[in-house]
């Protein structure tokens, strides 16, 4: 290596700053090599040791360079003509890169390390434009304005050396890349070209003749080429707000289209299509016509009544149109009112109502068969009516209602008694003396007189509990002389019923789970028949539902609350033949709740309940004798009973505003039932040929919910269906 003589210029500081920009070196490094910066050099290292060549370049730039112990081998750096120190230094860095080594700067110290470790030891971090050049490994942070950094990772990853890294930070919309400075400059130009706005600004196209709700699906379909149906006012097939999405929305209030496209050319095509479709209709010059509007969500009969009333009250019926006048009565089926059982609501066993007759009257006719409206009006009035229809013909939310009826009851009973019978006298005596005690224990079984009566017939029944009896021979008959009875019982009841149902907003729903029991309402017997008269006795009965009945009408509020009018009843058959009413039919118990409540979406509300704690003591004794201490137990019988009843009714509404929510809940309950059927499979048997019970098929793949299921505070999971 030969180095030409150098001179020291007067403005070393200014020259150092210039070298920092030209040599892509830190300012301190540029200052150190400033004395030799103007002198050309000729280097000639052929298969020289890396450490020796590194020491030579360290002396040339007057900086210390540390060589990693893992850096071994020879390097070739030469030039045929004299060159600047910057060019010689770049040749040295390129030669190291070809051998798999790199130079990094950390804490003001230059290091020669293996390329795989360069990304970990470099201390140079740059933000914004790449100011460093050459084959030095640095870390660069690129801040994006429009594009998602995750999308650029897949594009830039193949352009980065295998030993270096690229990472995305979506939170700060940034890319962090560690690579050679020369390659980072190329990546910066690629990122600048890709980081562009993905869509144009919104443009509003007012319509003069056509209706925005009619034009929106046509414009969307013509520009996107979508073959399937497009919902008016819904986003295009590209997705809502996605990159490059074409969005066509209808604004019924201003009768305008709101357009957005991926680029100005696409936006111009949308605008041109809308303007070509915005032409006067065939009935514009005639002063009026007939229009058919197919509804998507609302009921045609109800909506026709509302629109007729709205325009009739506002007095906006134009000339040449038929005035609304009094609204004709709606002949379609009317919704049932929420009321107590037997209060006029539609019975649970009633058949489905047939489609109603067309509703006539006014300038709007309703056809229930096709759920359509027929409008007879001038075109300006039709546009006003259509704007109102589009605002009312929206998808109504649904409410999934989970109810839980919990009844926990317990009872304790204890019974202790002593009975005896005695006969004083000898055989042949004219008179005798009989005495004893006789008590009827709870349940009516265990009376000593009744037991002896059964013993005469050869049947002895001492009753429940622990009994000790004393037998005595009365003449030729054996009977009980005394009996002691002790009994303690405990009963616990835990009943959970979970009737669930789903209904539209502000529509009544009803669920009945139970039996249909007959009740006698009248009877006749021809008791005065004489001679050959025929006796034709008959009875009239009425069947009523006995079980769990839930009737509810929810109304969704804008603030996330649900107002519900509720009627809940729980009834059961108590006994078939009550005392003294053997011909009156069965007796029933009944618990019902009726009222109006407000609860937040997804929250649990207790509707009401019953808490009862009853204690009953029964004591039978012989007067005076039964009060004697210790010995008084021979003259009395005592029983105690305690009953505890806790009955609570809980309710939780869940609002489902779209089809995905409805699908998610339906599939969740479907999987619950299917899991229960799979667990209820009979054990395999070789003798019995039937080894499988029915199991529901797996749900369709398209119906499987992709969103995360909401947390159920009541604990309802596919493996735990014992919750609403």
């Amino acid at each position: 290596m030969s180095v030409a003589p150098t001179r020291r210029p007067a403005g070393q500081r200014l020259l150092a700053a210039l070298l920092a920009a030209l040599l892509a070196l830190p300012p301190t490094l540029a200052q150190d090599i400033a004395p030799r910066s103007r002198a050309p050099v000729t280097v000639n290292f052929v298969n020289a040791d890396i450490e020796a060549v590194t020491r030579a370049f360290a002396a040339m730039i007057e900086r210390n360079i540390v060589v990693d112990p893992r850096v071994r081998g020879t390097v070739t750096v030469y030039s045929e003509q004299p060159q600047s120190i910057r060019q010689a230094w770049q040749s040295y860095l390129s030669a190291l890169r070809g051998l798999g080594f790199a130079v990094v700067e950390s804490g003001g110290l230059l290091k020669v390390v293996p390329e795989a470790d360069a990304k970990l030891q470099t201390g140079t971090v740059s933000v914004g434009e790449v100011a460093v050049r050459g084959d030095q490994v640095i870390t660069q942070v690129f801040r994006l304005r429009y594009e998602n950094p995750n999308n650029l990772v897949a594009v830039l990853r193949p352009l980065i050396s295998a030993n270096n890294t690229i990472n995305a930070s979506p939170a700060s919309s940034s890319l962090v890349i560690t690579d050679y400075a020369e390659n980072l400059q190329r990546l910066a130009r690629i990122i600048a070209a890709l980081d562009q706005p993905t869509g144009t600004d919104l443009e509003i196209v007012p319509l003069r003749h056509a209706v925005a709700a009619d034009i929106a699906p046509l414009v969307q379909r013509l520009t996107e080429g979508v073959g399937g149906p497009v919902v008016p006012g819904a986003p295009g097939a590209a997705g809502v707000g996605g990159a490059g999405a074409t969005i066509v929305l209808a604004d019924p209030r201003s009768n305008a289209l709101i357009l957005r496209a991926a680029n100005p050319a696409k936006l111009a095509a949308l605008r041109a299509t809308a303007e070509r479709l915005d032409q006067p209709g065939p009935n514009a010059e005639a002063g009026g016509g007939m229009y058919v509007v197919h509804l998507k969500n609302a009921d045609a009969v109800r909506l026709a009544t509302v629109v007729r009333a709205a325009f009739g009250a506002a007095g906006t019926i134009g000339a040449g149109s038929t005035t609304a006048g009094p609204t004709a009565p709606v002949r379609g089926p009317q919704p049932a009112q929420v009321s107590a059982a037997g209060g006029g609501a539609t019975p649970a066993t009633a058949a489905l109502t047939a489609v109603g007759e067309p509703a006539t009257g006014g300038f709007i006719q309703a056809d229930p068969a096709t759920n359509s409206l027929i409008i007879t009006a001038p075109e300006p009035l039709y546009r006003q009516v259509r704007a109102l229809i589009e605002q009312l013909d929206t998808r109504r939310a649904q409410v999934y209602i989970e109810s839980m009826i919990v009844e926990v009851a317990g009872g304790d009973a204890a019974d202790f008694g002593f009975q005896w019978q005695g006969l004083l006298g000898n055989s042949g005596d004219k008179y005798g003396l009989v005495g004893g005690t006789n008590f009827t224990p709870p349940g009516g079984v265990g009376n000593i007189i009744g037991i002896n009566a059964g013993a005469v017939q050869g049947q002895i029944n001492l009753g429940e509990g622990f009994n000790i009896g004393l037998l005595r021979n009365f003449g030729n008959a054996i009977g009980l002389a005394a009996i002691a009875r002790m009994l303690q019982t405990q009963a616990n009841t835990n009943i959970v019923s979970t009737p669930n149902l789903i209904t539209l907003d502000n529509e009544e729903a009803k669920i009945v789970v139970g039996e249909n029991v007959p009740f006698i309402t009248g009877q006749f017997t021809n008791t005065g028949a004489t001679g050959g008269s025929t006796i034709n006795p008959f009875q009239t009965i009425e069947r009523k539902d006995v079980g769990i009945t839930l009737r509810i009408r929810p109304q969704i509020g804008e603030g996330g609350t649900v107002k519900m009018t509720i009627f809940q009843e729980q009834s059961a058959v108590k006994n078939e033949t009550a005392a003294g009413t053997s011909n009156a039919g069965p007796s029933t118990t009944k618990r019902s709740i009726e009222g109006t409540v407000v609860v937040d979406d997804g929250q649990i509300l207790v509707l009401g309940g019953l808490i009862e704690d009853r204690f009953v003591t029964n004591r039978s004794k012989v007067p005076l004798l039964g009060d004697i201490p210790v010995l008084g137990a021979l003259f009395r019988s005592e029983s105690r009973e305690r009953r505890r009843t806790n009955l609570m009714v809980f309710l939780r509404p869940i609002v489902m505003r779209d089809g995905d929510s409805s699908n998610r809940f339906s599939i969740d309950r479907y999987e619950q039932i299917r899991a229960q059927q799979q667990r209820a499979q009979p054990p395999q048997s070789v003798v019995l040929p039937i080894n499988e019970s029915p199991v529901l098929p797996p749900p369709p793949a398209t119906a499987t919910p992709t969103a995360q299921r909401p947390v159920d505070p009541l604990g309802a999971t596919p493996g735990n269906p014992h919750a609403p």
Side-chain angles (χ1 to χ4, degrees):
M1 179 186 69
S2 61
V3 180
T6 60
R7 298 180 180 179
R8 296 179 179 271
Q12 293 184 358
R13 294 183 180 180
L14 179 60
L15 184 59
L18 295 175
L19 287 175
L22 295 176
L23 300 181
L25 297 176
T28 55
L29 179 59
Q31 287 180 355
D32 293 337
I33 66 175
R36 302 177 182 265
S37 60
R38 289 187 176 181
V41 296
T42 302
V43 294
N44 186 14
F45 297 101
V46 179
N47 293 329
D49 185 69
I50 291 180
E51 292 189 4
V53 176
T54 302
R55 287 195 298 270
F57 275 95
M60 186 185 306
I61 63 176
E62 297 182 359
R63 286 284 303 273
N64 292 330
I65 303 177
V66 178
V67 180
D68 191 277
R70 293 170 292 178
V71 178
R72 294 287 186 269
T74 60
V75 65
T76 298
V77 182
Y78 69 94
S79 61
E80 299 293 343
Q81 301 294 333
Q83 57 183 357
S84 64
I85 295 179
R86 172 185 176 276
Q87 295 175 340
W89 176 255
Q90 295 298 333
S91 300
Y92 169 70
L93 295 180
S94 299
L96 290 179
R97 181 177 179 180
L99 296 175
F101 306 123
V103 175
V104 298
E105 182 180 7
S106 178
L109 183 65
L110 298 178
K111 300 180 183 179
V112 181
V113 296
E115 187 183 56
D117 292 345
K119 61 179 177 294
L120 302 178
Q121 300 190 31
T122 181
T124 304
V125 179
S126 177
V127 180
E129 297 183 359
V130 182
V132 183
R133 296 178 178 270
D135 291 328
Q136 182 179 347
V137 176
I138 64 174
T139 299
Q140 182 73 26
V141 179
F142 296 94
R143 299 190 182 276
L144 306 180
R145 298 179 58 188
Y146 307 105
E147 187 60 59
N148 189 339
N150 290 324
N151 297 337
L152 293 182
V153 171
V155 178
L156 301 178
R157 175 69 266 183
L159 305 179
I160 300 174
S161 59
N163 291 324
N164 294 323
T165 61
I166 176 174
N167 296 287
S169 175
S172 60
S173 188
S174 303
L175 287 173
V176 181
I177 305 176
T178 300
D179 201 6
Y180 292 97
E182 195 69 27
N183 191 37
L184 287 176
Q185 292 182 348
R186 180 180 65 143
L187 296 179
R189 293 190 294 271
I190 297 175
I191 293 174
L194 296 178
D195 188 24
Q196 299 294 331
T198 57
T200 60
D201 294 334
L202 295 178
E203 181 167 345
I204 300 177
V205 179
L207 303 179
R208 299 178 55 190
H209 307 287
V211 178
D214 294 337
I215 297 299
L218 295 178
V219 174
Q220 184 78 59
R221 193 173 301 178
L222 292 174
T223 54
E224 292 292 343
V226 180
V230 180
V231 178
V240 179
T246 299
I247 300 177
V248 180
L249 298 176
D251 182 16
R253 182 184 60 84
S254 60
N255 193 38
L257 293 180
I258 303 175
L259 307 178
R260 182 177 182 181
N263 50 68
K266 191 72 172 180
L267 183 62
L270 291 174
R271 183 173 56 253
T273 303
E275 291 175 353
R276 294 179 63 183
L277 293 175
D278 185 23
Q279 300 295 331
N283 299 320
E285 298 180 358
M290 301 181 66
Y291 306 87
V292 178
V293 180
H294 296 280
L295 302 181
K296 304 169 185 63
N297 301 283
D299 181 76
V301 176
R302 296 184 182 180
L303 188 57
T305 305
V306 173
V307 175
R308 279 198 300 264
F311 279 85
T316 56
I317 305 300
S321 62
T322 305
T323 56
T327 303
V330 178
R331 301 180 183 178
Q334 297 297 318
Q337 299 297 325
V338 175
S339 59
T346 303
T349 57
L352 294 177
T353 306
V355 177
E357 296 293 332
T360 60
F363 68 107
I364 297 180
Q365 318 300 324
D367 181 17
T370 59
N371 197 38
S372 304
L373 295 178
I374 303 174
I375 304 175
T376 305
E379 189 169 349
L381 177 61
Y382 167 71
R383 287 200 296 267
Q384 297 181 23
V385 174
R386 188 60 188 274
L388 178 61
I389 292 175
E390 290 300 322
Q391 298 182 50
L392 297 177
D393 185 24
T394 58
R395 176 169 179 164
R396 296 168 63 184
Q398 300 182 97
V399 182
Y400 181 85
I401 302 169
E402 299 177 332
S403 63
M404 177 183 290
I405 304 171
V406 183
E407 181 176 359
V408 180
D412 297 328
D415 179 27
F416 177 80
F418 186 81
Q419 304 175 58
W420 55 273
Q421 295 289 324
L423 177 61
L424 299 179
N426 297 323
S427 179
D429 291 347
K430 186 176 181 180
Y431 299 100
L433 182 62
V434 178
T437 60
N438 179 25
F439 306 112
T440 301
V445 180
N447 181 274
I448 191 171
I449 301 299
I451 295 175
N452 284 328
V456 174
Q457 302 176 0
Q459 299 178 356
I460 299 179
N461 184 6
L462 299 181
E464 299 179 354
F466 181 73
N467 298 277
I468 299 177
L470 177 63
L471 296 177
R472 180 178 178 184
N473 188 356
F474 296 93
N476 295 326
I478 301 298
L480 283 174
I483 180 174
R485 179 175 182 269
M486 290 168 286
L487 175 65
Q488 183 176 359
T489 60
Q490 291 182 344
N492 293 312
T493 304
N494 190 349
I495 302 175
V496 178
S497 302
T498 58
N500 303 330
L501 51 85
I502 184 172
T503 182
L504 282 175
D505 179 26
N506 207 24
E507 293 288 345
E508 180 189 345
K510 176 182 179 181
I511 182 172
V512 178
V513 181
E515 302 177 3
N516 196 255
V517 181
F519 291 86
I520 299 175
T521 59
Q523 58 184 352
F524 173 77
T525 303
N526 190 3
T527 57
T530 58
S533 300
T534 303
I535 301 177
N536 296 319
F538 66 89
Q539 290 181 339
T540 58
I541 63 173
E542 178 185 1
R543 292 186 175 272
K544 294 185 179 181
D545 296 328
V546 175
I548 297 176
T549 302
L550 176 63
R551 191 182 295 115
I552 191 167
R553 183 193 297 274
Q555 183 178 356
I556 303 174
E558 293 297 332
T561 60
V562 181
K563 178 182 178 182
M564 294 177 291
T565 304
I566 304 167
F567 172 77
Q568 190 276 327
E569 179 181 279
Q570 182 181 12
S571 58
V573 177
K574 183 178 182 181
N575 53 2
E576 294 296 337
T577 55
T581 60
S582 58
N583 296 328
S587 299
T588 59
T589 60
K590 178 179 177 181
R591 302 185 181 99
S592 64
I593 297 175
E594 183 175 3
T596 302
V597 297
V598 176
V599 60
D600 292 335
D601 178 18
Q603 301 300 316
I604 303 175
L605 178 69
V606 57
L607 296 181
L610 170 67
I611 300 177
E612 182 184 34
D613 195 347
R614 182 173 59 178
F615 181 80
V616 180
T617 300
N618 293 321
R619 174 177 292 187
S620 300
K621 66 178 180 178
V622 178
L624 300 177
L625 297 179
D627 296 330
I628 300 176
V630 182
L631 295 178
L634 300 176
F635 301 95
R636 67 174 180 262
S637 176
E638 184 175 359
S639 65
R640 296 180 180 178
E641 181 181 7
R642 182 178 182 181
R643 295 182 182 178
R644 298 173 300 277
T645 302
N646 294 303
L647 174 65
M648 289 292 171
V649 180
F650 300 91
L651 195 71
R652 181 177 70 165
I654 300 176
V655 178
M656 298 183 295
R657 300 186 182 273
D658 51 21
D660 183 67
S661 300
S662 304
N663 180 65
R664 182 170 58 252
F665 276 90
S666 300
I667 294 300
D668 182 75
R669 296 306 186 256
Y670 187 94
E671 291 177 349
Q672 286 186 22
I673 297 299
R674 190 169 184 270
Q676 287 186 0
Q677 290 180 333
Q678 292 176 341
R679 291 193 300 267
Q681 292 294 316
Q684 298 295 319
S685 174
V686 180
V687 180
L688 301 177
I690 302 176
N691 294 317
E692 295 181 358
S693 64
V695 178
L696 291 172
T702 56
T704 303
T706 57
Q708 185 179 4
R709 294 176 183 170
V711 178
D712 194 338
L714 295 182
T717 61
N720 177 26
H722 301 292

